[in-house]
Amino acid sequence: MTLVFGAAGQDGRLLVHRLLAENRERGQGRVIGVVRPETLALPDLPCPCVAVNLADPAAVDGLIAAFKPERLFYLAAVHHSSDGPSVPDPGLQQAMFTTNTAGVHGVLAALKQHAPACRLVYAASSHMYRPGAVNRMVAAGDARDPINYYGLTKSWAMEAIGFARRHQGLAAGAAVLFNHESPLRPESFLSRKLSIAAARIALGLDREVAVRNIGAFADWFDAEDAVDAIIRLADAGAPGDYAIGAGRLSGVRDMAAAAFAAVGLDWAQHVSWEADVTRPAVYADIRPAQDDLKWAPRHSLSDTMRRMVKADMARLTSQAR
């Protein structure tokens, strides 16, 4: 059976739907989501779910002991949108540490005790790396230098994953995920901000959207492709760590153009910005994933933004009825 920590989030929902579809085809075991206690009451959870407090090692241990999973995906995370303000918040930092780091330690200890053959995949982050003076292609094994506290908590968890694999024999690996987008992205993220704006402007509900920095670049790719890589990593012969992204940089202009093209509009007529500054950025070295996992991104940024705008158009049209 399979446990998906963070089943209520974007990646968790997409992963659960993919796993359930595969299980129907292959007759494999159950998929159980693991969510925060306050999330358990949500009406639209994608699968049967149980609640666990990741700050409680005994609760995590009891969960693993009860289910003895064959696969475990740790996608639970607490973080700011990359477009949000970088203001120190002790409460947020504690929540990040609890979910992104401490919970992973609890899971690793419980797996060693109760399910040592379980295959674990942890969702790490490109925020663990910084570019320096020029754009930088990043492999999962490169030296980490986190750009924020979120990246720091992910880096600490990566250390624990590597230790468990090398010294405890656990089949544990990490997918270092770059910016991955879908219609399930929260509205605080730039991709959804632009997809919602394009939909609203096309429907005559707005006239303009403002972004912070039109000159920024990042490695944006499709969340469905991220989920595909995560599953391939779980099923790989030997566990390891892999950078997962588009393998190239795209600009905010590219994203805006794709969003507004989906509704037949010229983005330049509807997008304003505070700054137009291009700084060095990081992008994924996907060659190891291509070689070892036989994985490659299938969707272009234009495809992803088109799907996001279409979903937002449908939602807004439905709400107006």
Side-chain angles (χ1 to χ4, degrees):
M1 66 89 57
T2 299
L3 288 178
V4 178
F5 280 64
Q10 169 190 254
D11 298 351
R13 288 174 182 272
L14 293 174
L15 175 62
V16 165
H17 286 303
R18 170 78 177 268
L19 293 175
L20 290 175
E22 291 184 355
N23 285 0
R24 286 192 292 269
E25 292 176 2
R26 303 175 188 176
Q28 294 178 335
R30 292 185 300 163
V31 177
I32 303 295
V34 181
V35 299
R36 298 189 305 271
E38 63 269 25
T39 304
L40 195 57
L42 291 177
D44 60 343
L45 292 174
C47 65
C49 290
V50 296
V52 67
N53 180 0
L54 293 175
D56 183 353
V60 174
D61 184 82
L63 177 75
I64 301 298
F67 286 104
K68 295 182 173 58
E70 297 167 336
R71 294 189 297 182
L72 190 153
F73 297 91
Y74 196 104
L75 311 182
V78 172
H79 61 94
H80 262 315
S81 161
S82 60
D83 197 37
S86 55
V87 178
D89 181 336
L92 178 62
Q93 289 183 344
Q94 180 60 48
M96 287 183 189
F97 175 77
T98 297
T99 300
N100 304 349
T101 306
V104 178
H105 284 265
V107 164
L108 289 170
L111 288 178
K112 182 182 178 184
Q113 181 70 23
H114 305 294
C118 178
R119 303 185 71 84
L120 166 68
V121 176
Y122 175 67
S125 171
S126 61
H127 286 244
M128 300 184 302
Y129 308 90
R130 65 180 69 229
V134 297
N135 294 334
R136 175 187 171 196
M137 183 170 67
V138 171
D142 289 351
R144 296 187 291 273
D145 183 14
I147 63 172
N148 51 31
Y149 192 79
Y150 171 68
L152 182 60
T153 60
K154 289 287 189 175
S155 184
W156 287 333
M158 281 279 289
E159 292 292 338
I161 294 288
F163 183 88
R165 183 173 62 238
R166 293 189 302 271
H167 302 295
Q168 297 177 338
L170 292 180
V176 179
L177 300 179
F178 285 67
N179 306 60
H180 48 295
E181 317 301 323
S182 84
L184 297 177
R185 259 305 200 197
E187 295 182 12
S188 56
F189 283 78
L190 178 61
S191 60
R192 273 303 302 288
K193 183 176 182 177
L194 287 169
S195 71
I196 292 170
R200 288 183 61 84
I201 291 169
L203 293 171
L205 301 175
D206 279 328
R207 297 182 62 185
E208 186 178 84
V209 61
V211 301
R212 181 177 298 175
N213 181 15
I214 197 68
F217 281 78
D219 185 334
W220 281 295
F221 74 116
D222 197 286
E224 294 279 6
D225 288 332
V227 164
D228 183 47
I230 287 169
I231 294 174
R232 289 171 184 261
L233 177 51
D235 295 340
D241 304 329
Y242 294 89
I244 305 297
R248 62 183 181 85
L249 293 171
S250 298
V252 176
R253 284 181 170 86
D254 300 318
M255 181 177 282
F260 282 88
V263 288
L265 296 175
D266 178 1
W267 74 272
Q269 302 299 315
H270 300 284
V271 179
S272 63
W273 53 87
E274 299 173 20
D276 185 358
V277 180
T278 299
R279 299 184 180 91
V282 293
Y283 60 101
D285 181 356
I286 64 174
R287 293 171 297 182
Q290 290 173 319
D291 293 341
D292 299 345
L293 307 180
K294 309 307 176 188
W295 172 87
R298 295 175 299 166
H299 302 88
S300 68
L301 181 60
S302 294
D303 292 338
T304 303
M305 295 305 299
R306 186 181 307 112
R307 190 170 78 254
M308 293 173 68
V309 173
K310 182 178 179 181
D312 283 323
M313 287 281 287
R315 177 181 57 82
L316 290 168
T317 301
S318 176
Q319 290 174 353
R321 289 173 184 164

